[in-house]
Amino acid sequence: REIFQNSFSMTHHLSFSGGSQTATYYASLGYSTEEGLLKQDRFDRYTVNAKVNLSPSRHIKWDVSLSVSNLVSQGPATTVDPYTYAYFANPYERPYNEDGSYRADMTYFNLNNINEGEDYLSSHLPPQGFNILRELEETEGDSKKFSATGQATLTLDITGGLQFSGLMSYTFTNTRDKTVLGEETYAAWTDRLYFDTNNNTENQYASISEANANGESYNVRGQFSYTDLFRSEHYLNVLAGAELRGSRNTRSYMKRYGYNRDSGLAVTPENPDGSFDYRDLLDGSMGTTKSESKFASFYASLEYAYRERYVFNASFRTDGSNNFGSDEQFNPTWSLGAAWNADEEPFTQSLKPTLSHLTLRVSAGFTGNVVAGALKELVIEFDDRDSWNGMPVGEVQTAPNPHLRWEKTRDLKAALDFGLFDDRVSGLVEAYWRKSMDVITRTMVVSTTGFTGQAHNTSEIENKGVEGTLGVQIIDGRDLKLRMNANVAWNRNVLSKYVSPTGAISEGKYEGYPLESIFGGKEIGIDPFYGIYMYQLRPDAEISSASDLNKTANYRYYLGTSTAPFTGGFYLNLSWRDLSLGIGGAYSFGAKVDNRISPAASYEDIDYYGNETPQTSYSDLYTNHLNVRRDRTNRWTPSRTEGVKYPRIVDPLGEVLNLDLYNVTSSSITLGSFLEDVSYLRVRDITLSYNLPRHLLEHWGISSLGFSVMASNLFTFTNYSGIDPETPGQTYPITRSVAFGINLGF
């Protein structure tokens, strides 16, 4: 209640349209505002759209449009996630003292102080301590984003079926960000200048960071097409064109310490030992970054149809990107397709209207993909001065690879589209097979190169699946109607080939298994004697000494995938005259997640000698000093050794138990104890609407008047023990909401 609130949003939209046969116009204004779940969160959005369509003659069509938006958002700039804090915070803490001042939280960041003594708090936390409300109320993270897009299209009917169409568009964006950290906040304390953090001084000061980013993008396209119908049986469409597009982005930033909110001025804090040159501060507190990308595309396509029964199409294109070296810049791609409208055949006419329509489609193709984060260039980023010698630091964050190539994909699809009983029953069934080659992954490299990983074209991935959609008009009366639509999809991928350029296999990349594979140990219970998790040995485990009992390779099994193989949704609509009820939902089956909740407690700066390694954080005495789920008390003790959910408590800084010498403690194995199925069925929306009959509105000069009520996320059916099966972890619970609407037309 102290941190969150019920969110409130409001949207207004006003539009105008009109014109004549040769010119039409459309303009709209929009405004929306929302107060977020955090009490300090708010955003306002303003939009303007305008469009003019001109047809001075039957051979020329000219369209011009302009879209402008401005987004203003406000919120805190805390370095502590308020959702995580709310999950772990000690419920017995009080946010305020009796005099109304902020009270220091004596639990959340107190693990180190508990073990190091009273002096720890004064050197590692602000003198006034940490308080989440101070962080939320005395920090600012404001952003303003302006965007404008202009677009013009021209269509010329040259002669007969020959046509030229062109497009030009330009987008400009400007983003301004401001971050203010209040003087007494924990965020400002951890962000102090290096001479204060290194010397553990109690100096406190605010800071302000400002950034301004400008972005430009353009798109120019021109194409010729020819369309004709021969003898009322043969349809032909041929198209060829070229496209150029690109973007350029520039960002400048500046940071000032010793900021005063009232005056807007900043006074740089004093350097206690005089070793700091204030000119060095400027090097690390301001700078500029630039990026640019360009693409060129050339394409052609052909489509032919005979009597609307047999349709064939083919396309070819080649795309070039400056993301790759000169030898790898262009990537030719193609596609072929065919469709058979069986319902147009003479021998199917006797089946109508039982068979309303029936179409079979097949297609194959070869496409390409650019991974923007994988670069061919060596990029040096200059940051702050070194905290010890004051020298400027330049860092190459990503190892370049001049031989990177486009990712390539082969695609094969087959689909059946059908309708029965005058389309009261309709459906689509589609199967696909897709093979991606030269997939870019990050591969471990020898650390003496200065990097730990590098992007390479290493993998081949096979995807396959079947997707189906079914719609049924269950009741189709004059006043009463009931229709149901549902879809289901089964999808699976397999890493069919992985070639490491260094010979090292990265963790998680196993040929013959899905990319989202989960490997871990199969828990077989809690050892009643030692009080720790036990895991099943693999049939091929090699145990030649007692120390082999803690090797991860002897316990690793394939346990499932984090991506659901079965997904889908449904929608049910029931209407009676002007009253309508709609129910929509979604489902997902087969996905699993590691449901361990990483504790907020940290061992940072503790003299941790590893006397005893807890098998998991759930056994760690010190991570359990924060708020935990109440079932955590159901654990092993010397007097309760059977039928418990959690293992024994272990003091990492206390008595040496040697439990880790002969038992596996790797988190890659122990995750098997916390793996949960996140299958669910969720009713997302329930909407009830009513439109007043038109004859009741005519004498008021109103063309339409409707009312609606929409409820969202009311019901979720799942066996998952966490908060939300769609987003597992310590997240804010999915909100249930009710919206009321009035639709008025003149």
Side-chain angles (χ1 to χ4, degrees):
R1 289 191 297 269
E2 297 289 344
I3 299 176
F4 303 108
Q5 64 182 3
N6 291 328
S7 63
F8 174 81
S9 62
M10 182 169 55
T11 300
H12 305 278
H13 183 81
L14 181 66
S15 63
F16 309 86
S17 60
S20 63
Q21 291 183 348
T22 59
T24 61
Y25 68 88
Y26 172 84
S28 68
L29 303 173
Y31 169 71
S32 59
T33 181
E34 179 174 327
E35 295 177 357
L37 293 170
L38 275 177
K39 292 183 177 181
Q40 294 75 19
D41 277 351
R42 178 187 175 91
F43 85 80
D44 297 275
R45 185 194 302 273
Y46 308 84
T47 58
V48 178
N49 293 284
K51 186 176 183 179
V52 177
N53 302 323
L54 302 175
S55 301
S57 73
R58 64 186 182 89
H59 297 289
I60 301 175
K61 184 178 180 181
W62 177 262
D63 300 334
V64 180
S65 64
L66 176 66
S67 178
V68 179
S69 68
N70 190 49
L71 174 65
V72 179
S73 63
Q74 299 172 322
T78 173
T79 56
V80 177
D81 183 357
Y83 301 99
T84 302
Y85 175 85
Y87 190 93
F88 286 107
N90 182 350
Y92 294 97
E93 292 283 356
R94 299 194 310 274
Y96 300 104
N97 294 310
E98 293 182 359
D99 60 0
S101 60
Y102 293 116
R103 181 180 184 273
D105 190 314
M106 301 305 295
T107 312
Y108 198 78
F109 282 129
N110 215 25
L111 174 59
N112 293 334
N113 188 42
I114 291 171
N115 289 280
E116 292 291 325
E118 293 294 334
D119 293 338
Y120 180 87
L121 187 63
S122 62
S123 61
H124 291 75
L125 287 175
Q128 63 277 3
F130 167 79
N131 183 291
I132 188 64
L133 298 184
R134 180 191 287 117
E135 302 300 306
L136 297 177
E137 295 167 2
E138 297 187 2
T139 64
E140 300 175 22
D142 301 340
S143 178
K144 297 179 180 180
K145 183 175 182 179
F146 173 84
S147 175
T149 299
Q151 180 173 298
T153 60
L154 174 66
T155 303
L156 297 176
D157 291 328
I158 301 174
T159 177
L162 183 62
Q163 185 182 83
F164 171 81
S165 61
L167 177 146
M168 294 186 298
S169 69
Y170 174 81
T171 300
F172 172 79
T173 60
N174 172 258
T175 303
R176 290 173 290 169
D177 297 317
K178 181 179 73 172
T179 302
V180 176
L181 306 181
E183 178 179 347
E184 294 187 343
T185 63
Y186 175 74
W189 179 265
T190 58
D191 190 52
R192 294 178 301 160
L193 291 164
Y194 81 89
F195 50 74
D196 285 311
T197 56
N198 289 346
N199 297 328
N200 291 329
T201 68
E202 294 190 3
N203 290 344
Q204 293 183 265
Y205 37 84
S207 67
I208 180 171
S209 302
E210 297 175 288
N212 186 75
N214 291 325
E216 298 176 277
S217 63
Y218 65 88
N219 189 1
V220 180
R221 183 176 69 229
Q223 63 186 35
F224 289 91
S225 64
Y226 176 77
T227 304
D228 206 348
L229 183 64
F230 303 95
R231 300 178 182 177
S232 300
E233 295 181 340
H234 306 275
Y235 170 82
L236 178 67
N237 176 266
V238 181
L239 181 148
E243 181 180 41
L244 298 175
R245 62 189 188 275
S247 63
R248 181 184 296 110
N249 297 280
T250 303
R251 180 178 182 270
S252 59
Y253 60 91
M254 179 176 66
K255 186 170 187 176
R256 293 178 290 160
Y257 291 93
Y259 175 68
N260 183 284
R261 289 189 181 186
D262 297 329
S263 66
L265 302 176
V267 179
T268 306
E270 288 189 21
N271 179 12
D273 58 8
S275 62
F276 183 74
D277 189 339
Y278 288 111
R279 292 174 299 179
D280 297 340
L281 179 61
L282 300 178
D283 297 334
S285 61
M286 62 179 61
T288 301
T289 61
K290 298 180 180 180
S291 64
E292 186 173 5
S293 63
K294 294 181 180 180
F295 294 87
S297 302
F298 305 91
Y299 55 91
S301 68
L302 180 146
E303 182 179 6
Y304 168 77
Y306 175 68
R307 289 188 175 182
E308 297 183 355
R309 301 177 194 170
Y310 315 105
V311 182
F312 304 93
N313 59 67
S315 66
F316 172 83
R317 67 182 294 146
T318 180
D319 299 275
S321 169
N322 69 330
N323 197 76
F324 305 107
S326 57
D327 295 335
E328 297 87 7
Q329 279 188 343
F330 279 89
N331 180 52
T333 61
W334 56 267
S335 67
L336 296 172
W340 176 36
N341 296 316
D343 55 283
E344 297 294 331
E345 295 285 359
F347 61 81
T348 61
Q349 300 307 304
S350 61
L351 300 177
K352 293 185 177 181
T354 303
L355 178 64
S356 307
H357 70 269
L358 181 65
T359 300
L360 177 65
R361 300 184 182 92
V362 292
S363 64
F366 185 82
T367 59
N369 179 54
V370 174
V371 179
L375 300 177
K376 68 180 188 300
E377 301 99 341
L378 181 74
V379 179
I380 301 178
E381 181 176 314
F382 287 95
D383 200 358
D384 209 342
R385 297 268 175 166
D386 185 87
S387 60
W388 294 106
N389 57 32
M391 300 297 291
V393 177
E395 182 180 5
V396 181
Q397 295 186 343
T398 304
N401 184 353
H403 302 295
L404 283 178
R405 303 180 299 276
W406 285 73
E407 293 184 336
K408 305 176 181 65
T409 299
R410 292 176 181 170
D411 204 312
L412 180 63
K413 293 181 180 179
L416 180 66
D417 188 356
F418 65 91
L420 304 173
F421 312 111
D422 279 335
D423 283 333
R424 290 189 62 174
V425 178
S426 60
L428 173 66
V429 179
E430 183 180 62
Y432 73 90
W433 174 86
R434 185 178 301 125
K435 184 175 183 178
S436 299
M437 298 158 290
D438 284 339
V439 176
I440 295 175
T441 59
R442 185 172 175 83
T443 305
M444 294 185 296
V445 298
V446 180
S447 60
T448 53
T449 62
F451 304 97
T452 58
Q454 185 181 33
H456 285 271
N457 300 89
T458 61
S459 306
E460 291 184 3
I461 301 171
E462 290 187 15
N463 291 267
K464 56 185 176 181
V466 178
E467 301 180 4
T469 301
L470 181 66
V472 181
Q473 189 73 39
I474 303 173
I475 301 175
D476 192 17
R478 179 179 177 182
D479 295 327
L480 182 64
K481 298 180 183 295
L482 176 62
R483 183 171 181 83
M484 183 194 70
N485 292 289
N487 64 81
V488 61
W490 173 79
N491 299 282
R492 178 177 172 83
N493 69 69
V494 172
L495 181 62
S496 57
K497 183 179 180 181
Y498 179 77
V499 179
S500 172
T502 62
I505 302 298
S506 297
E507 181 72 20
K509 297 181 177 65
Y510 300 97
E511 290 188 9
Y513 290 95
L515 291 179
E516 302 83 8
S517 295
I518 300 175
F519 290 86
K522 293 183 178 180
E523 185 199 325
I524 55 177
I526 294 177
D527 189 314
F529 184 77
Y530 293 107
I532 60 176
Y533 289 122
M534 298 184 297
Y535 298 93
Q536 181 177 324
L537 285 168
R538 288 179 55 87
D540 58 353
E542 297 181 0
I543 308 297
S544 57
S545 64
S547 61
D548 292 331
L549 293 173
N550 62 10
K551 291 184 177 179
T552 59
N554 289 329
Y555 297 92
R556 181 176 287 139
Y557 285 89
Y558 172 69
L559 301 179
T561 173
S562 60
T563 299
F566 294 96
T567 57
F570 63 91
Y571 183 75
L572 188 69
N573 181 261
L574 174 66
S575 64
W576 182 74
R577 295 184 179 178
D578 295 311
L579 182 65
S580 177
L581 173 66
I583 302 175
Y587 58 87
S588 174
F589 296 104
K592 296 181 178 180
V593 297
D594 177 5
N595 200 41
R596 283 176 295 187
I597 305 300
S598 300
S602 170
Y603 280 110
E604 184 180 3
D605 298 320
I606 281 186
D607 293 332
Y608 177 36
Y609 299 109
N611 295 340
E612 183 67 37
T613 302
Q615 193 178 35
T616 71
S617 63
Y618 287 8
S619 296
D620 191 329
L621 170 65
Y622 302 110
T623 61
N624 280 276
H625 87 288
L626 293 179
N627 192 39
V628 297
R629 289 174 47 159
R630 62 168 55 93
D631 67 350
R632 196 74 64 82
T633 59
N634 181 15
R635 64 169 70 248
W636 183 96
T637 65
S639 60
R640 186 173 57 175
T641 61
E642 301 286 348
V644 293
K645 184 175 181 179
Y646 294 102
R648 69 186 299 162
I649 281 288
V650 171
D651 183 354
L653 308 180
E655 178 186 0
V656 179
L657 304 175
N658 292 323
L659 296 175
D660 56 330
L661 292 182
Y662 309 111
N663 296 280
V664 64
T665 59
S666 171
S667 60
S668 63
I669 300 301
T670 58
L671 73 83
S673 297
F674 309 99
L675 206 62
E676 285 200 45
D677 192 306
V678 286
S679 300
Y680 67 89
L681 171 64
R682 170 164 285 163
V683 179
R684 293 191 183 278
D685 303 299
I686 301 176
T687 304
L688 181 66
S689 62
Y690 178 70
N691 295 314
L692 267 69
R694 294 180 63 90
H695 68 272
L696 298 179
L697 306 174
E698 291 176 350
H699 66 283
W700 293 338
I702 298 174
S703 61
S704 63
L705 177 60
F707 304 90
S708 64
V709 179
M710 184 176 72
S712 300
N713 303 314
L714 290 187
F715 306 106
T716 300
F717 304 95
T718 180
N719 290 325
Y720 174 59
S721 64
I723 295 176
D724 182 10
E726 280 193 277
T727 55
Q730 64 270 24
T731 58
Y732 193 90
I734 188 169
T735 56
R736 296 182 176 93
S737 64
V738 179
F740 302 89
I742 300 177
N743 192 338
L744 180 63
F746 297 94

